[in-house]
Amino acid sequence: MSDSAISSVPPASLRGAPRPLRRLTFELFGIVALKLAALVLIWWVVFAPQPKPDVSPAAVAQRLAPAVPAPTEARP
């Protein structure tokens, strides 16, 4: 058997064929990168601007202090 009988595809068409797997890989990495960027942006907008709580001793004492009862009004 000759070499031409083994392969039915001519060698010129093998070199000129586009690489669909490489393009698909780039597209998938692009989609993953865009989704990751979107998640980071959502996290930054929603969760990052939350203010830090005041943990000074005076603020904690004020929070833990008993509530002042409201004065009762005399009803006729």
Side-chain angles (χ1 to χ4, degrees):
M1 294 183 92
S2 66
D3 289 331
S4 63
I6 295 173
S7 175
S8 62
V9 179
S13 65
L14 286 176
R15 292 182 196 148
R19 295 186 170 198
L21 290 179
R22 180 172 287 184
R23 180 178 176 199
L24 180 64
T25 303
F26 287 138
E27 288 178 3
L28 288 177
F29 276 125
I31 290 170
V32 169
L34 285 175
K35 285 185 176 186
L36 186 62
L39 286 174
V40 168
L41 180 66
I42 290 170
W43 178 86
W44 185 75
V45 168
V46 175
F47 296 111
Q50 297 296 323
K52 304 269 190 226
D54 186 11
V55 293
S56 65
V60 173
Q62 183 180 5
R63 283 245 188 227
L64 296 177
V68 178
T72 58
E73 296 181 15
R75 294 186 182 178

